[in-house]
């Protein structure tokens, strides 16, 4: 499991042995020496659907609509849930965005703007179809990663993390709070 230090943002890999049988894992950062506690839910891992070959590079120049094609027609936000993205490390650290439409493009000049020179104009997209959230790389130059693996597409769940450029992004899917009258 890939995690980041909550103090300096350095990425760390926790082994299966460290995670086994523990809901919370504490580790000490190799860079800053500060402790960080992370939640571990071994039954809720991100599923990588289409790994990107290591030699692949984006063709560039095509719009997000052209790259996504007809797949976007059945998208809808989940009822009673809120989906949020939080940048937990990198140049855009601290950015939190609630998803308010079922198709969101992330990039330097996109729905969610990530100011990072390693991020393409239209880097990747999140497609929401009810409770399912799919991450799609939009033929970006530097790739979209889940863990250490470059992906074309991946299914994301609550507390999934993905990386574009130098930014590590956390997905949260939570029940909407009921409003009282």
């Amino acid at each position: 499991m890939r995690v980041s230090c909550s103090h300096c943002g350095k990425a760390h890999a926790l082994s299966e042995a460290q995670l086994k049988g523990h809901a919370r894992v504490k580790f000490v950062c190799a860079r800053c020496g500060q402790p960080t506690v992370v939640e571990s839910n071994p039954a809720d891992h991100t599923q990588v659907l289409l790994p990107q070959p290591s030699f692949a590079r984006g063709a560039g120049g095509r719009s997000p609509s052209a790259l996504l094609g007809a797949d976007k027609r059945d998208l809808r936000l989940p009822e009673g849930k809120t989906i949020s993205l939080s940048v937990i490390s990198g140049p855009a650290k601290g950015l939190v965005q609630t998803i308010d439409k079922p198709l969101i493009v992330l990039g330097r000049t996109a729905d969610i703007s990530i100011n990072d020179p390693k991020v393409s104009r239209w880097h990747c997209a999140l497609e929401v179809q009810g409770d399912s959230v799919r991450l799609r790389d939009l033929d970006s130059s530097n790739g979209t990663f889940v863990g250490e693996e470059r992906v074309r597409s991946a299914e994301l769940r609550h507390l999934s993390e993905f990386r574009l450029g130098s930014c590590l992004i956390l997905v949260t899917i939570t029940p909407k709070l009921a409003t009282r009258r």
Side-chain angles (χ1 to χ4, degrees):
M1 177 177 173
R2 299 277 304 163
V3 296
S4 295
C5 173
S6 60
H7 304 281
C8 71
K10 176 165 174 49
H12 294 273
L14 299 180
S15 69
E16 291 297 321
Q18 289 173 294
L19 299 170
K20 190 172 184 172
H22 301 285
R24 296 175 140 220
V25 177
K26 181 178 179 180
F27 70 94
V28 176
C29 179
R31 180 188 294 158
C32 69
Q34 296 294 317
T36 297
V37 176
V38 293
E39 298 286 330
S40 168
N41 185 355
D44 192 26
H45 290 291
T46 299
Q47 178 185 6
V48 175
L49 299 176
L50 298 170
Q52 182 85 328
S54 61
F55 59 82
R57 266 190 71 120
R62 295 187 300 179
S63 72
S65 313
L67 293 166
L68 294 169
D71 291 343
K72 61 184 180 180
R73 66 178 169 253
D74 294 326
L75 302 178
R76 61 182 163 51
L77 293 172
E79 292 183 27
K81 293 185 181 176
T82 299
I83 301 172
S84 298
L85 302 178
S86 303
V87 180
I88 57 177
S89 69
K93 183 178 179 178
L95 174 68
V96 178
Q97 182 75 42
T98 300
I99 303 301
D100 59 357
K101 55 186 182 177
L103 175 62
I104 297 289
V105 176
L106 290 85
R108 285 193 333 266
T109 58
D111 297 321
I112 298 177
S113 180
I114 305 289
N115 188 13
D116 180 342
K118 295 180 182 177
V119 172
S120 298
R121 287 183 305 154
W122 304 307
H123 197 98
C124 64
L126 285 181
E127 302 169 327
V128 181
Q129 188 171 17
D131 289 341
S132 175
V133 179
R134 178 169 286 173
L135 169 69
R136 280 197 193 207
D137 184 79
L138 297 177
D139 287 340
S140 64
S141 297
N142 293 321
T144 303
F145 292 81
V146 174
E148 294 296 315
E149 190 165 13
R150 185 172 179 169
V151 298
R152 290 183 190 149
S153 179
E155 291 292 324
L156 303 176
R157 297 187 176 124
H158 178 60
L159 300 181
S160 292
E161 295 177 351
F162 64 96
R163 181 173 55 82
L164 53 146
S166 302
C167 294
L168 184 62
I169 300 174
L170 174 70
V171 177
T172 56
I173 304 170
T174 55
K176 285 185 180 175
L177 298 175
T179 55
R180 294 184 181 184
R181 293 185 177 227

